[in-house]
């Protein structure tokens, strides 16, 4: 079984009018930052904020009348669950989703909101998937795999068709890899439309399942990644067979680059990306020489990120850019010391966010006091200016 450009074009015809034809726009600022000529495909503007709607809907639209009546089932803890549930509700197809027990409550509730029956089972996706297969057989349902399914792959491939219609000059596509449904569909479409285009896979360094299979080594897979949408231990059999001959390389991305990419989408494009959704941009940040001067198409494939995690990422980026810095200052424990230090920081234009006062630390003299002061600044240069001002007033700080 494989997927052809005709399958993808047929999927595009089916999906027309049912999903958003999301914009693919040039980004002048991201181009300046990365050195590439960047276009961004905003799949986070789908109703469920992710590309997964395409494949799920393409599958649902091809069910027979009896299959629609019986209903479908899937194992998913994320965007596939919501995409399948939303369009199942629209089309009147009963949907059952099996999720791991530890799935965040917000994802469970969103899926239930779209009318799906949600069953919580197992500690991992593999546990949930095995149980979903059991229920599928017991209830005679139709199983809709999140990536290793030809109809799902064809639906995801419609993204590349739209991108090359809107930006035909694109000559390289870095595409996220989890189970492989997105990249196998997009690579099939892109290579058929433009044979000389380069398709490069992008994986989280903690979950190099495609890379390991491609290079023939046993990977050390696991860990807490911000790109949980592509944190898959085993790439699909069908997706690997389709994608492997079409890819020139696969790049592994560390957590700091995922974080930087999420922050850039917020600060530059004024849009929200989840970790996996920002993977293509993260590849440009991590491997600038691979893309400099080239016409690069980025697929922002999802925007479902927990708000607390997003706040943490944005704050960490401020610290990384030294726009928020914690100073440790040790001085005499006397009245007015904190006011004096605060006046120095304020006089230099810094904004104090938080102060921690410690008199009991053993590495501080008995008549001394230790202050940890978090300061917001304009940029790295401004932070250096505040540091020098404190030093000149006799309070040399240590950055922590």
């Amino acid at each position: 079984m494989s997927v052809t450009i005709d399958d993808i074009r047929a999927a595009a015809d089916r999906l027309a009018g049912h999903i958003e034809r999301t914009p693919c726009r040039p980004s002048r600022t991201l181009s300046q930052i990365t050195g590439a000529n960047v276009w961004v495909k905003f799949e986070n503007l789908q109703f469920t904020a992710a590309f997964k709607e395409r494949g799920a809907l393409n599958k649902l639209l091809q069910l027979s009348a009896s299959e629609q009546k019986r209903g479908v089932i899937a194992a998913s803890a994320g965007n596939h669950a919501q995409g399948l549930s939303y369009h199942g509700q629209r089309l009147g197809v009963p949907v059952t989703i099996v999720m791991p027990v530890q799935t965040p409550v917000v994802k469970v509730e969103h899926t239930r909101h779209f009318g799906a029956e949600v069953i919580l089972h197992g500690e991992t996706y593999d546990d949930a998937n095995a149980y979903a297969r059991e229920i599928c057989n017991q209830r005679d349902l139709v199983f809709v795999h999140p990536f290793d399914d030809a109809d799902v792959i064809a639906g995801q491939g419609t993204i590349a068709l739209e991108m090359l219609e809107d930006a035909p000059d694109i000559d390289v596509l870095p595409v996220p890899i989890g189970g492989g449904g997105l990249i196998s569909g997009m690579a099939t479409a892109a290579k058929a439309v433009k044979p000389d285009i380069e398709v490069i896979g992008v994986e989280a360094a903690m979950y190099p399942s495609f890379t390991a299979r491609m290079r023939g080594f046993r990977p050390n897979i696991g860990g807490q990644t911000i790109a949980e949408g592509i944190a898959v231990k085993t790439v699909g059999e069908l997706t690997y067979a389709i994608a492997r001959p079409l890819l020139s390389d696969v790049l592994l991305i560390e957590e700091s680059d995922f974080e930087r990419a999420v922050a850039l989408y917020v600060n530059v494009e004024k849009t929200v990306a989840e970790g996996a959704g920002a993977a293509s941009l993260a590849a440009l940040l991590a491997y600038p020489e691979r893309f400099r001067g080239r016409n690069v198409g980025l697929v922002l494939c999802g925007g479902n990120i927990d708000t607390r995690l997003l706040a943490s990422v944005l704050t960490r980026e401020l610290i990384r850019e030294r726009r928020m810095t914690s100073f440790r200052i040790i001085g005499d424990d006397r009245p007015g010391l904190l006011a004096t230090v605060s006046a120095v920081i304020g006089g230099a234009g810094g904004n104090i966010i938080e102060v921690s006062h410690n008199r009991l630390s053993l590495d501080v003299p008995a008549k001394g006091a230790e202050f940890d002061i978090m300061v917001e600044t304009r940029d790295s240069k401004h932070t250096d200016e505040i540091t020098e001002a404190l030093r000149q007033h006799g309070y040399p700080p240590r950055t922590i």
Side-chain angles (χ1 to χ4, degrees):
M1 183 182 295
S2 189
V3 176
T4 68
I5 184 61
D6 290 336
D7 296 325
I8 296 171
R9 286 181 171 136
D13 290 339
R14 287 188 203 97
L15 299 181
H18 292 280
I19 62 168
E20 294 291 328
R21 194 192 191 287
T22 56
C24 183
R25 298 171 180 152
S27 175
R28 292 169 59 184
T29 305
L30 290 181
S31 297
Q32 292 169 358
I33 291 170
T34 63
N37 302 312
V38 175
W39 282 263
V40 180
K41 177 70 165 170
F42 291 88
E43 280 297 288
N44 61 335
L45 298 181
Q46 295 294 350
F47 183 76
T48 62
F51 77 97
K52 288 282 191 175
E53 287 186 31
R54 294 174 181 264
L57 179 56
N58 190 48
K59 182 73 173 181
L60 290 171
L61 290 173
Q62 295 181 81
L63 297 178
S64 66
S66 63
E67 289 173 330
Q68 290 179 6
K69 184 177 181 179
R70 283 155 46 198
V72 299
I73 188 169
S76 171
N79 295 329
H80 179 65
Q82 294 182 58
L84 187 64
S85 300
Y86 168 59
H87 287 289
Q89 184 182 58
R90 286 182 54 248
L91 299 173
V93 179
V95 176
T96 303
I97 303 291
V98 182
M99 293 179 158
V101 172
Q102 299 303 320
T103 301
V105 173
V106 65
K107 293 185 177 181
V108 174
E109 292 308 312
H110 282 172
T111 305
R112 284 179 173 151
H113 174 74
F114 293 131
E117 175 189 354
V118 176
I119 299 172
L120 299 178
H121 181 88
E123 296 299 319
T124 67
Y125 167 78
D126 290 337
D127 295 336
N129 185 61
Y131 192 58
R133 294 282 188 179
E134 290 181 22
I135 295 175
C136 183
N137 293 331
Q138 293 169 4
R139 300 185 186 179
D140 192 26
L141 304 175
V142 178
F143 194 86
V144 183
H145 199 282
F147 49 84
D148 218 24
D149 180 289
D151 295 329
V152 170
I153 292 169
Q156 322 304 27
T158 60
I159 296 172
L161 289 183
E162 294 176 9
M163 291 180 76
L164 291 175
E165 286 175 4
D166 293 345
D169 292 335
I170 289 174
D171 57 38
V172 58
L173 287 172
V175 182
I177 301 178
L182 178 63
I183 196 166
S184 54
M186 287 188 63
T188 298
K191 285 288 189 178
V193 173
K194 193 173 184 179
D196 60 344
I197 198 169
E198 184 180 15
V199 183
I200 298 174
V202 181
E203 284 190 299
M206 292 183 184
Y207 290 84
S209 58
F210 196 103
T211 300
R213 183 164 179 177
M214 181 175 69
R215 297 177 182 169
F217 67 89
R218 184 181 296 276
N220 182 18
I221 288 181
Q224 294 297 316
T225 175
I226 188 178
E228 71 280 350
I230 54 173
V232 175
K233 293 184 177 181
T234 305
V235 68
E237 291 294 326
L238 177 59
T239 58
Y240 183 83
I242 293 172
R244 178 63 188 94
L246 303 176
L247 306 189
S248 62
D249 200 359
V250 179
L251 306 178
L252 299 181
I253 307 300
E254 301 293 343
E255 292 303 293
S256 60
D257 289 310
F258 283 121
E259 292 183 26
R260 289 174 61 204
V262 169
L264 276 177
Y265 273 128
V266 171
N267 292 320
V268 172
E269 295 298 330
K270 313 306 178 189
T271 193
V272 175
E274 59 190 89
S280 297
L281 176 56
L284 268 66
L285 300 174
Y287 301 89
E289 295 301 324
R290 290 293 302 266
F291 302 98
R292 184 167 287 119
R294 303 186 67 184
N295 299 325
V296 184
L298 306 181
V299 54
L300 197 177
C301 56
N304 289 311
I305 185 171
D306 181 81
T307 51
R308 288 180 298 174
L309 178 58
L310 178 60
S312 175
V313 168
L314 295 177
T315 301
R316 287 164 61 89
E317 189 63 16
L318 290 174
I319 294 171
R320 192 174 284 118
E321 295 176 351
R322 299 184 71 211
R323 293 168 57 194
M324 188 176 290
T325 304
S326 287
F327 294 115
R328 175 162 292 171
I329 297 171
I330 298 176
D332 298 332
D333 188 12
R334 55 183 172 80
L337 176 59
L338 181 56
T340 301
V341 171
S342 299
V344 173
I345 294 172
N351 181 34
I352 295 176
I353 303 296
E354 187 176 273
V355 176
S356 176
H357 191 179
N358 184 10
R359 290 182 174 87
L360 301 180
S361 176
L362 294 180
D363 59 355
V364 176
K367 291 186 177 182
E370 178 182 86
F371 299 93
D372 290 342
I373 305 176
M374 181 172 286
V375 180
E376 183 181 23
T377 66
R378 293 188 297 272
D379 51 30
S380 180
K381 181 180 178 182
H382 189 206
T383 299
D384 290 337
E385 292 171 356
I386 293 174
T387 301
E388 182 59 28
L390 288 166
R391 184 177 291 111
Q392 289 181 3
H393 282 78
Y395 306 108
R398 179 161 62 93
T399 301
I400 59 173

